[in-house]
Amino acid sequence: MSVIISIVLILVSLVLIVAVLMQEGNKQGLGAISGAADTFLGKNKSKSAEGKLLTITKITAAVFVVIAILATWLNARTYQILFYDEDGNEYFPTLEAQVQYAQFAYQYGLTQEEPTVTYEQLNESIKDVDEKRVALSYNAEINEASYPTPAKEGYVGHWEPALPEKMGRKTIEAHVVYEIGKYNLTINLQPIPSEDESVDDSAKAIYEHEYTYQDAIDAETIKAGLEIPEVEGYTVTWSADIPETMPGNNVTITVSYTANEVAEATPAEATPAEATEPEVITPAVEATPADATPAEGETK
């Protein structure tokens, strides 16, 4: 449509230019000064040709103005993109983008305040529907990443039909379509830091596998197939347990070595002997002959 209008505008402009250039200048009164005299036929012929050119000029000028106004209006007009969730309710991805940006800014330290606003709160606070809708002018670029689909755990959403690269001259209605997500489980082994700079002590993946959302994961089988050497003086530490089922996001687990704590040697404290009563030794008494008791009437 815009191409046709542009072509018509160019053609009308050319006709207008030609019509103006073919008209003679206003020489009224110059003939009398120069002594020239026009015949009746010449005057009528001149007026007839100039009259036609003048009429053409007026018509083409009017058409030019109308087409120029129409082209300006079409270029200045905006067109909407309407989004709908899986239940058929109108959804406003610009509000969701604000929530996601607030979470991103807090996560990476761009702001100190933790975001508390939600999509539902924003949707409720803005009463004018047109303020929440996406409106773009003709031929404006459309960045699909700026219009996220409603979040659904374990699923990846996209708009159907797919958004074009540039805005056309009609309203677009896009509905969300979900596909079950596939996510990676990665287990990295972090070796013991080495003082030798030539030794690469960066973490290396020892297990990588793609799972569909909610797939069962056999943790024992995975651990049995891993090659994690034991190192004397260190304990193998897992940053997290292997999940039983695959969640709706990528999972990365790091296996590292933690140095065992060595107890400091301390002198053994002497244990006091059990308190016992001292043994009392009774000195032996020599036996002496018993003193004889004198008989009656016997004196010493």
PDB file of all heavy atoms in Angstrom, residues 191-228:
ATOM      1  N   PRO A 191      39.777 -30.156  40.697  1.00  0.00           N
ATOM      2  CA  PRO A 191      40.962 -30.806  41.267  1.00  0.00           C
ATOM      3  C   PRO A 191      41.543 -29.988  42.421  1.00  0.00           C
ATOM      4  O   PRO A 191      41.175 -28.835  42.644  1.00  0.00           O
ATOM      5  CB  PRO A 191      41.929 -30.889  40.085  1.00  0.00           C
ATOM      6  CG  PRO A 191      41.506 -29.780  39.181  1.00  0.00           C
ATOM      7  CD  PRO A 191      40.028 -29.645  39.346  1.00  0.00           C
ATOM      8  N   ILE A 192      42.487 -30.613  43.124  1.00  0.00           N
ATOM      9  CA  ILE A 192      43.152 -29.931  44.238  1.00  0.00           C
ATOM     10  C   ILE A 192      44.027 -28.819  43.668  1.00  0.00           C
ATOM     11  O   ILE A 192      44.782 -29.045  42.716  1.00  0.00           O
ATOM     12  CB  ILE A 192      44.002 -30.927  45.046  1.00  0.00           C
ATOM     13  CG1 ILE A 192      43.110 -32.048  45.597  1.00  0.00           C
ATOM     14  CG2 ILE A 192      44.755 -30.232  46.173  1.00  0.00           C
ATOM     15  CD1 ILE A 192      43.878 -33.164  46.249  1.00  0.00           C
ATOM     16  N   PRO A 193      43.932 -27.592  44.201  1.00  0.00           N
ATOM     17  CA  PRO A 193      44.781 -26.507  43.707  1.00  0.00           C
ATOM     18  C   PRO A 193      46.256 -26.863  43.795  1.00  0.00           C
ATOM     19  O   PRO A 193      46.722 -27.409  44.799  1.00  0.00           O
ATOM     20  CB  PRO A 193      44.420 -25.325  44.617  1.00  0.00           C
ATOM     21  CG  PRO A 193      43.063 -25.668  45.155  1.00  0.00           C
ATOM     22  CD  PRO A 193      43.033 -27.151  45.261  1.00  0.00           C
ATOM     23  N   SER A 194      46.981 -26.573  42.751  1.00  0.00           N
ATOM     24  CA  SER A 194      48.403 -26.882  42.711  1.00  0.00           C
ATOM     25  C   SER A 194      49.218 -25.598  42.710  1.00  0.00           C
ATOM     26  O   SER A 194      48.819 -24.585  42.116  1.00  0.00           O
ATOM     27  CB  SER A 194      48.732 -27.713  41.461  1.00  0.00           C
ATOM     28  OG  SER A 194      50.125 -27.920  41.344  1.00  0.00           O
ATOM     29  N   GLU A 195      50.357 -25.644  43.383  1.00  0.00           N
ATOM     30  CA  GLU A 195      51.252 -24.483  43.379  1.00  0.00           C
ATOM     31  C   GLU A 195      51.978 -24.345  42.053  1.00  0.00           C
ATOM     32  O   GLU A 195      52.516 -23.281  41.746  1.00  0.00           O
ATOM     33  CB  GLU A 195      52.258 -24.607  44.524  1.00  0.00           C
ATOM     34  CG  GLU A 195      51.603 -24.584  45.907  1.00  0.00           C
ATOM     35  CD  GLU A 195      52.628 -24.695  47.007  1.00  0.00           C
ATOM     36  OE1 GLU A 195      53.842 -24.871  46.682  1.00  0.00           O
ATOM     37  OE2 GLU A 195      52.249 -24.605  48.196  1.00  0.00           O
ATOM     38  N   ASP A 196      51.994 -25.402  41.289  1.00  0.00           N
ATOM     39  CA  ASP A 196      52.644 -25.373  39.978  1.00  0.00           C
ATOM     40  C   ASP A 196      51.709 -24.675  38.984  1.00  0.00           C
ATOM     41  O   ASP A 196      50.613 -25.163  38.690  1.00  0.00           O
ATOM     42  CB  ASP A 196      52.954 -26.800  39.514  1.00  0.00           C
ATOM     43  CG  ASP A 196      53.790 -26.804  38.229  1.00  0.00           C
ATOM     44  OD1 ASP A 196      54.040 -25.709  37.678  1.00  0.00           O
ATOM     45  OD2 ASP A 196      54.188 -27.901  37.794  1.00  0.00           O
ATOM     46  N   GLU A 197      52.117 -23.500  38.479  1.00  0.00           N
ATOM     47  CA  GLU A 197      51.259 -22.746  37.582  1.00  0.00           C
ATOM     48  C   GLU A 197      51.032 -23.445  36.247  1.00  0.00           C
ATOM     49  O   GLU A 197      50.083 -23.129  35.531  1.00  0.00           O
ATOM     50  CB  GLU A 197      51.871 -21.366  37.333  1.00  0.00           C
ATOM     51  CG  GLU A 197      51.951 -20.502  38.589  1.00  0.00           C
ATOM     52  CD  GLU A 197      52.518 -19.134  38.290  1.00  0.00           C
ATOM     53  OE1 GLU A 197      52.928 -18.914  37.126  1.00  0.00           O
ATOM     54  OE2 GLU A 197      52.554 -18.283  39.202  1.00  0.00           O
ATOM     55  N   SER A 198      51.894 -24.362  35.897  1.00  0.00           N
ATOM     56  CA  SER A 198      51.728 -25.066  34.628  1.00  0.00           C
ATOM     57  C   SER A 198      50.620 -26.110  34.680  1.00  0.00           C
ATOM     58  O   SER A 198      50.190 -26.619  33.652  1.00  0.00           O
ATOM     59  CB  SER A 198      53.046 -25.740  34.222  1.00  0.00           C
ATOM     60  OG  SER A 198      53.419 -26.720  35.188  1.00  0.00           O
ATOM     61  N   VAL A 199      50.167 -26.428  35.881  1.00  0.00           N
ATOM     62  CA  VAL A 199      49.123 -27.440  36.044  1.00  0.00           C
ATOM     63  C   VAL A 199      47.762 -26.761  35.948  1.00  0.00           C
ATOM     64  O   VAL A 199      47.498 -25.756  36.630  1.00  0.00           O
ATOM     65  CB  VAL A 199      49.263 -28.167  37.394  1.00  0.00           C
ATOM     66  CG1 VAL A 199      48.121 -29.166  37.576  1.00  0.00           C
ATOM     67  CG2 VAL A 199      50.601 -28.869  37.473  1.00  0.00           C
ATOM     68  N   ASP A 200      46.916 -27.278  35.087  1.00  0.00           N
ATOM     69  CA  ASP A 200      45.570 -26.740  34.910  1.00  0.00           C
ATOM     70  C   ASP A 200      44.682 -27.290  36.022  1.00  0.00           C
ATOM     71  O   ASP A 200      44.360 -28.479  36.044  1.00  0.00           O
ATOM     72  CB  ASP A 200      45.021 -27.124  33.538  1.00  0.00           C
ATOM     73  CG  ASP A 200      43.654 -26.506  33.277  1.00  0.00           C
ATOM     74  OD1 ASP A 200      43.249 -25.631  34.067  1.00  0.00           O
ATOM     75  OD2 ASP A 200      43.001 -26.895  32.283  1.00  0.00           O
ATOM     76  N   ASP A 201      44.296 -26.411  36.951  1.00  0.00           N
ATOM     77  CA  ASP A 201      43.466 -26.858  38.060  1.00  0.00           C
ATOM     78  C   ASP A 201      42.029 -26.349  37.938  1.00  0.00           C
ATOM     79  O   ASP A 201      41.320 -26.233  38.938  1.00  0.00           O
ATOM     80  CB  ASP A 201      44.064 -26.410  39.398  1.00  0.00           C
ATOM     81  CG  ASP A 201      44.253 -24.900  39.464  1.00  0.00           C
ATOM     82  OD1 ASP A 201      43.907 -24.219  38.480  1.00  0.00           O
ATOM     83  OD2 ASP A 201      44.737 -24.422  40.503  1.00  0.00           O
ATOM     84  N   SER A 202      41.600 -26.034  36.719  1.00  0.00           N
ATOM     85  CA  SER A 202      40.221 -25.598  36.515  1.00  0.00           C
ATOM     86  C   SER A 202      39.286 -26.803  36.516  1.00  0.00           C
ATOM     87  O   SER A 202      39.694 -27.939  36.232  1.00  0.00           O
ATOM     88  CB  SER A 202      40.085 -24.832  35.193  1.00  0.00           C
ATOM     89  OG  SER A 202      40.477 -25.649  34.102  1.00  0.00           O
ATOM     90  N   ALA A 203      38.016 -26.543  36.835  1.00  0.00           N
ATOM     91  CA  ALA A 203      37.034 -27.619  36.907  1.00  0.00           C
ATOM     92  C   ALA A 203      36.767 -28.190  35.512  1.00  0.00           C
ATOM     93  O   ALA A 203      36.696 -27.451  34.533  1.00  0.00           O
ATOM     94  CB  ALA A 203      35.743 -27.103  37.522  1.00  0.00           C
ATOM     95  N   LYS A 204      36.635 -29.484  35.447  1.00  0.00           N
ATOM     96  CA  LYS A 204      36.371 -30.178  34.178  1.00  0.00           C
ATOM     97  C   LYS A 204      35.110 -31.014  34.314  1.00  0.00           C
ATOM     98  O   LYS A 204      34.862 -31.632  35.344  1.00  0.00           O
ATOM     99  CB  LYS A 204      37.559 -31.050  33.790  1.00  0.00           C
ATOM    100  CG  LYS A 204      38.843 -30.275  33.531  1.00  0.00           C
ATOM    101  CD  LYS A 204      39.984 -31.204  33.178  1.00  0.00           C
ATOM    102  CE  LYS A 204      41.253 -30.428  32.854  1.00  0.00           C
ATOM    103  NZ  LYS A 204      41.699 -29.605  33.995  1.00  0.00           N
ATOM    104  N   ALA A 205      34.323 -31.034  33.243  1.00  0.00           N
ATOM    105  CA  ALA A 205      33.079 -31.796  33.251  1.00  0.00           C
ATOM    106  C   ALA A 205      33.390 -33.286  33.176  1.00  0.00           C
ATOM    107  O   ALA A 205      34.126 -33.741  32.298  1.00  0.00           O
ATOM    108  CB  ALA A 205      32.191 -31.383  32.092  1.00  0.00           C
ATOM    109  N   ILE A 206      32.859 -34.033  34.114  1.00  0.00           N
ATOM    110  CA  ILE A 206      33.024 -35.489  34.100  1.00  0.00           C
ATOM    111  C   ILE A 206      31.707 -36.202  33.790  1.00  0.00           C
ATOM    112  O   ILE A 206      31.675 -37.422  33.656  1.00  0.00           O
ATOM    113  CB  ILE A 206      33.592 -35.981  35.449  1.00  0.00           C
ATOM    114  CG1 ILE A 206      32.680 -35.537  36.605  1.00  0.00           C
ATOM    115  CG2 ILE A 206      35.010 -35.488  35.657  1.00  0.00           C
ATOM    116  CD1 ILE A 206      33.135 -36.062  37.965  1.00  0.00           C
ATOM    117  N   TYR A 207      30.638 -35.408  33.676  1.00  0.00           N
ATOM    118  CA  TYR A 207      29.348 -35.998  33.306  1.00  0.00           C
ATOM    119  C   TYR A 207      28.469 -34.900  32.711  1.00  0.00           C
ATOM    120  O   TYR A 207      28.317 -33.823  33.292  1.00  0.00           O
ATOM    121  CB  TYR A 207      28.651 -36.610  34.521  1.00  0.00           C
ATOM    122  CG  TYR A 207      27.309 -37.229  34.193  1.00  0.00           C
ATOM    123  CD1 TYR A 207      27.208 -38.517  33.705  1.00  0.00           C
ATOM    124  CD2 TYR A 207      26.131 -36.498  34.367  1.00  0.00           C
ATOM    125  CE1 TYR A 207      25.986 -39.084  33.392  1.00  0.00           C
ATOM    126  CE2 TYR A 207      24.894 -37.050  34.061  1.00  0.00           C
ATOM    127  CZ  TYR A 207      24.830 -38.344  33.572  1.00  0.00           C
ATOM    128  OH  TYR A 207      23.616 -38.899  33.264  1.00  0.00           O
ATOM    129  N   GLU A 208      27.903 -35.176  31.558  1.00  0.00           N
ATOM    130  CA  GLU A 208      26.967 -34.258  30.902  1.00  0.00           C
ATOM    131  C   GLU A 208      25.882 -35.083  30.226  1.00  0.00           C
ATOM    132  O   GLU A 208      26.183 -36.026  29.484  1.00  0.00           O
ATOM    133  CB  GLU A 208      27.667 -33.375  29.864  1.00  0.00           C
ATOM    134  CG  GLU A 208      28.546 -32.285  30.440  1.00  0.00           C
ATOM    135  CD  GLU A 208      29.180 -31.427  29.353  1.00  0.00           C
ATOM    136  OE1 GLU A 208      29.886 -31.982  28.501  1.00  0.00           O
ATOM    137  OE2 GLU A 208      28.950 -30.207  29.365  1.00  0.00           O
ATOM    138  N   HIS A 209      24.641 -34.698  30.477  1.00  0.00           N
ATOM    139  CA  HIS A 209      23.538 -35.425  29.845  1.00  0.00           C
ATOM    140  C   HIS A 209      22.314 -34.513  29.786  1.00  0.00           C
ATOM    141  O   HIS A 209      22.084 -33.705  30.682  1.00  0.00           O
ATOM    142  CB  HIS A 209      23.196 -36.698  30.624  1.00  0.00           C
ATOM    143  CG  HIS A 209      22.257 -37.602  29.896  1.00  0.00           C
ATOM    144  ND1 HIS A 209      22.659 -38.396  28.838  1.00  0.00           N
ATOM    145  CD2 HIS A 209      20.920 -37.821  30.055  1.00  0.00           C
ATOM    146  CE1 HIS A 209      21.608 -39.083  28.386  1.00  0.00           C
ATOM    147  NE2 HIS A 209      20.549 -38.744  29.111  1.00  0.00           N
ATOM    148  N   GLU A 210      21.557 -34.650  28.698  1.00  0.00           N
ATOM    149  CA  GLU A 210      20.344 -33.858  28.522  1.00  0.00           C
ATOM    150  C   GLU A 210      19.138 -34.684  28.942  1.00  0.00           C
ATOM    151  O   GLU A 210      18.965 -35.825  28.513  1.00  0.00           O
ATOM    152  CB  GLU A 210      20.209 -33.414  27.065  1.00  0.00           C
ATOM    153  CG  GLU A 210      19.017 -32.501  26.821  1.00  0.00           C
ATOM    154  CD  GLU A 210      18.891 -32.091  25.361  1.00  0.00           C
ATOM    155  OE1 GLU A 210      18.574 -32.991  24.528  1.00  0.00           O
ATOM    156  OE2 GLU A 210      19.106 -30.911  25.057  1.00  0.00           O
ATOM    157  N   TYR A 211      18.314 -34.080  29.774  1.00  0.00           N
ATOM    158  CA  TYR A 211      17.102 -34.727  30.254  1.00  0.00           C
ATOM    159  C   TYR A 211      15.888 -33.875  29.882  1.00  0.00           C
ATOM    160  O   TYR A 211      15.976 -32.653  29.817  1.00  0.00           O
ATOM    161  CB  TYR A 211      17.122 -34.903  31.775  1.00  0.00           C
ATOM    162  CG  TYR A 211      18.131 -35.898  32.276  1.00  0.00           C
ATOM    163  CD1 TYR A 211      19.427 -35.504  32.588  1.00  0.00           C
ATOM    164  CD2 TYR A 211      17.789 -37.236  32.464  1.00  0.00           C
ATOM    165  CE1 TYR A 211      20.361 -36.420  33.064  1.00  0.00           C
ATOM    166  CE2 TYR A 211      18.711 -38.157  32.942  1.00  0.00           C
ATOM    167  CZ  TYR A 211      19.993 -37.739  33.237  1.00  0.00           C
ATOM    168  OH  TYR A 211      20.913 -38.647  33.710  1.00  0.00           O
ATOM    169  N   THR A 212      14.767 -34.556  29.683  1.00  0.00           N
ATOM    170  CA  THR A 212      13.501 -33.859  29.527  1.00  0.00           C
ATOM    171  C   THR A 212      12.951 -33.549  30.911  1.00  0.00           C
ATOM    172  O   THR A 212      13.218 -34.266  31.873  1.00  0.00           O
ATOM    173  CB  THR A 212      12.510 -34.720  28.729  1.00  0.00           C
ATOM    174  OG1 THR A 212      13.089 -35.034  27.451  1.00  0.00           O
ATOM    175  CG2 THR A 212      11.194 -34.000  28.509  1.00  0.00           C
ATOM    176  N   TYR A 213      12.207 -32.478  30.991  1.00  0.00           N
ATOM    177  CA  TYR A 213      11.626 -32.071  32.271  1.00  0.00           C
ATOM    178  C   TYR A 213      10.884 -33.240  32.925  1.00  0.00           C
ATOM    179  O   TYR A 213      10.114 -33.932  32.283  1.00  0.00           O
ATOM    180  CB  TYR A 213      10.680 -30.890  32.043  1.00  0.00           C
ATOM    181  CG  TYR A 213       9.913 -30.455  33.259  1.00  0.00           C
ATOM    182  CD1 TYR A 213      10.563 -29.974  34.384  1.00  0.00           C
ATOM    183  CD2 TYR A 213       8.517 -30.520  33.289  1.00  0.00           C
ATOM    184  CE1 TYR A 213       9.852 -29.563  35.500  1.00  0.00           C
ATOM    185  CE2 TYR A 213       7.797 -30.106  34.387  1.00  0.00           C
ATOM    186  CZ  TYR A 213       8.475 -29.632  35.499  1.00  0.00           C
ATOM    187  OH  TYR A 213       7.766 -29.229  36.606  1.00  0.00           O
ATOM    188  N   GLN A 214      11.165 -33.455  34.202  1.00  0.00           N
ATOM    189  CA  GLN A 214      10.566 -34.488  35.056  1.00  0.00           C
ATOM    190  C   GLN A 214      11.044 -35.898  34.723  1.00  0.00           C
ATOM    191  O   GLN A 214      10.491 -36.878  35.237  1.00  0.00           O
ATOM    192  CB  GLN A 214       9.023 -34.440  34.981  1.00  0.00           C
ATOM    193  CG  GLN A 214       8.411 -33.225  35.661  1.00  0.00           C
ATOM    194  CD  GLN A 214       8.634 -33.190  37.159  1.00  0.00           C
ATOM    195  OE1 GLN A 214       8.833 -34.208  37.790  1.00  0.00           O
ATOM    196  NE2 GLN A 214       8.648 -31.991  37.734  1.00  0.00           N
ATOM    197  N   ASP A 215      12.082 -36.043  33.911  1.00  0.00           N
ATOM    198  CA  ASP A 215      12.671 -37.361  33.682  1.00  0.00           C
ATOM    199  C   ASP A 215      13.294 -37.872  34.976  1.00  0.00           C
ATOM    200  O   ASP A 215      13.879 -37.112  35.754  1.00  0.00           O
ATOM    201  CB  ASP A 215      13.755 -37.293  32.606  1.00  0.00           C
ATOM    202  CG  ASP A 215      13.179 -37.450  31.211  1.00  0.00           C
ATOM    203  OD1 ASP A 215      11.962 -37.676  31.101  1.00  0.00           O
ATOM    204  OD2 ASP A 215      13.945 -37.337  30.234  1.00  0.00           O
ATOM    205  N   ALA A 216      13.197 -39.210  35.208  1.00  0.00           N
ATOM    206  CA  ALA A 216      13.816 -39.800  36.395  1.00  0.00           C
ATOM    207  C   ALA A 216      15.324 -39.872  36.211  1.00  0.00           C
ATOM    208  O   ALA A 216      15.818 -40.146  35.114  1.00  0.00           O
ATOM    209  CB  ALA A 216      13.239 -41.191  36.648  1.00  0.00           C
ATOM    210  N   ILE A 217      16.075 -39.636  37.287  1.00  0.00           N
ATOM    211  CA  ILE A 217      17.537 -39.653  37.253  1.00  0.00           C
ATOM    212  C   ILE A 217      18.026 -40.691  38.258  1.00  0.00           C
ATOM    213  O   ILE A 217      17.675 -40.639  39.445  1.00  0.00           O
ATOM    214  CB  ILE A 217      18.125 -38.270  37.596  1.00  0.00           C
ATOM    215  CG1 ILE A 217      17.607 -37.216  36.606  1.00  0.00           C
ATOM    216  CG2 ILE A 217      19.639 -38.302  37.588  1.00  0.00           C
ATOM    217  CD1 ILE A 217      18.042 -35.808  36.936  1.00  0.00           C
ATOM    218  N   ASP A 218      18.826 -41.630  37.797  1.00  0.00           N
ATOM    219  CA  ASP A 218      19.384 -42.677  38.668  1.00  0.00           C
ATOM    220  C   ASP A 218      20.721 -42.185  39.213  1.00  0.00           C
ATOM    221  O   ASP A 218      21.768 -42.315  38.562  1.00  0.00           O
ATOM    222  CB  ASP A 218      19.558 -43.970  37.879  1.00  0.00           C
ATOM    223  CG  ASP A 218      19.896 -45.148  38.790  1.00  0.00           C
ATOM    224  OD1 ASP A 218      20.261 -44.914  39.954  1.00  0.00           O
ATOM    225  OD2 ASP A 218      19.819 -46.302  38.321  1.00  0.00           O
ATOM    226  N   ALA A 219      20.704 -41.612  40.391  1.00  0.00           N
ATOM    227  CA  ALA A 219      21.905 -41.014  40.973  1.00  0.00           C
ATOM    228  C   ALA A 219      22.976 -42.060  41.273  1.00  0.00           C
ATOM    229  O   ALA A 219      24.171 -41.819  41.051  1.00  0.00           O
ATOM    230  CB  ALA A 219      21.548 -40.249  42.246  1.00  0.00           C
ATOM    231  N   GLU A 220      22.569 -43.223  41.746  1.00  0.00           N
ATOM    232  CA  GLU A 220      23.542 -44.255  42.105  1.00  0.00           C
ATOM    233  C   GLU A 220      24.298 -44.742  40.874  1.00  0.00           C
ATOM    234  O   GLU A 220      25.514 -44.947  40.911  1.00  0.00           O
ATOM    235  CB  GLU A 220      22.823 -45.427  42.794  1.00  0.00           C
ATOM    236  CG  GLU A 220      22.179 -45.067  44.123  1.00  0.00           C
ATOM    237  CD  GLU A 220      23.203 -44.564  45.130  1.00  0.00           C
ATOM    238  OE1 GLU A 220      24.351 -45.053  45.100  1.00  0.00           O
ATOM    239  OE2 GLU A 220      22.854 -43.693  45.942  1.00  0.00           O
ATOM    240  N   THR A 221      23.572 -44.924  39.771  1.00  0.00           N
ATOM    241  CA  THR A 221      24.234 -45.369  38.542  1.00  0.00           C
ATOM    242  C   THR A 221      25.200 -44.314  38.030  1.00  0.00           C
ATOM    243  O   THR A 221      26.302 -44.637  37.561  1.00  0.00           O
ATOM    244  CB  THR A 221      23.177 -45.682  37.467  1.00  0.00           C
ATOM    245  OG1 THR A 221      22.282 -46.687  37.956  1.00  0.00           O
ATOM    246  CG2 THR A 221      23.836 -46.170  36.190  1.00  0.00           C
ATOM    247  N   ILE A 222      24.810 -43.058  38.134  1.00  0.00           N
ATOM    248  CA  ILE A 222      25.691 -41.976  37.685  1.00  0.00           C
ATOM    249  C   ILE A 222      26.961 -41.943  38.526  1.00  0.00           C
ATOM    250  O   ILE A 222      28.080 -41.869  37.997  1.00  0.00           O
ATOM    251  CB  ILE A 222      24.955 -40.628  37.748  1.00  0.00           C
ATOM    252  CG1 ILE A 222      23.813 -40.597  36.729  1.00  0.00           C
ATOM    253  CG2 ILE A 222      25.918 -39.474  37.495  1.00  0.00           C
ATOM    254  CD1 ILE A 222      22.963 -39.354  36.810  1.00  0.00           C
ATOM    255  N   LYS A 223      26.817 -42.004  39.840  1.00  0.00           N
ATOM    256  CA  LYS A 223      27.989 -41.945  40.722  1.00  0.00           C
ATOM    257  C   LYS A 223      28.909 -43.140  40.503  1.00  0.00           C
ATOM    258  O   LYS A 223      30.135 -43.014  40.564  1.00  0.00           O
ATOM    259  CB  LYS A 223      27.546 -41.882  42.178  1.00  0.00           C
ATOM    260  CG  LYS A 223      26.935 -40.553  42.575  1.00  0.00           C
ATOM    261  CD  LYS A 223      26.601 -40.518  44.064  1.00  0.00           C
ATOM    262  CE  LYS A 223      26.070 -39.147  44.477  1.00  0.00           C
ATOM    263  NZ  LYS A 223      25.764 -39.068  45.921  1.00  0.00           N
ATOM    264  N   ALA A 224      28.291 -44.299  40.241  1.00  0.00           N
ATOM    265  CA  ALA A 224      29.104 -45.496  40.031  1.00  0.00           C
ATOM    266  C   ALA A 224      29.950 -45.381  38.767  1.00  0.00           C
ATOM    267  O   ALA A 224      31.040 -45.973  38.681  1.00  0.00           O
ATOM    268  CB  ALA A 224      28.209 -46.729  39.967  1.00  0.00           C
ATOM    269  N   GLY A 225      29.483 -44.633  37.789  1.00  0.00           N
ATOM    270  CA  GLY A 225      30.223 -44.508  36.534  1.00  0.00           C
ATOM    271  C   GLY A 225      31.218 -43.366  36.512  1.00  0.00           C
ATOM    272  O   GLY A 225      31.945 -43.196  35.526  1.00  0.00           O
ATOM    273  N   LEU A 226      31.290 -42.576  37.573  1.00  0.00           N
ATOM    274  CA  LEU A 226      32.223 -41.449  37.619  1.00  0.00           C
ATOM    275  C   LEU A 226      33.590 -41.889  38.120  1.00  0.00           C
ATOM    276  O   LEU A 226      33.698 -42.764  38.989  1.00  0.00           O
ATOM    277  CB  LEU A 226      31.674 -40.339  38.531  1.00  0.00           C
ATOM    278  CG  LEU A 226      30.342 -39.714  38.117  1.00  0.00           C
ATOM    279  CD1 LEU A 226      29.922 -38.667  39.127  1.00  0.00           C
ATOM    280  CD2 LEU A 226      30.442 -39.099  36.729  1.00  0.00           C
ATOM    281  N   GLU A 227      34.606 -41.292  37.565  1.00  0.00           N
ATOM    282  CA  GLU A 227      35.971 -41.556  38.006  1.00  0.00           C
ATOM    283  C   GLU A 227      36.440 -40.392  38.875  1.00  0.00           C
ATOM    284  O   GLU A 227      36.896 -39.362  38.382  1.00  0.00           O
ATOM    285  CB  GLU A 227      36.900 -41.738  36.808  1.00  0.00           C
ATOM    286  CG  GLU A 227      36.557 -42.953  35.952  1.00  0.00           C
ATOM    287  CD  GLU A 227      37.531 -43.132  34.799  1.00  0.00           C
ATOM    288  OE1 GLU A 227      38.462 -42.298  34.682  1.00  0.00           O
ATOM    289  OE2 GLU A 227      37.356 -44.075  34.020  1.00  0.00           O
ATOM    290  N   ILE A 228      36.270 -40.579  40.186  1.00  0.00           N
ATOM    291  CA  ILE A 228      36.680 -39.551  41.144  1.00  0.00           C
ATOM    292  C   ILE A 228      37.750 -40.174  42.037  1.00  0.00           C
ATOM    293  O   ILE A 228      37.444 -40.929  42.965  1.00  0.00           O
ATOM    294  CB  ILE A 228      35.486 -39.063  41.980  1.00  0.00           C
ATOM    295  CG1 ILE A 228      34.371 -38.554  41.068  1.00  0.00           C
ATOM    296  CG2 ILE A 228      35.930 -37.960  42.948  1.00  0.00           C
ATOM    297  CD1 ILE A 228      33.123 -38.126  41.807  1.00  0.00           C
TER     298      ILE A 228
END
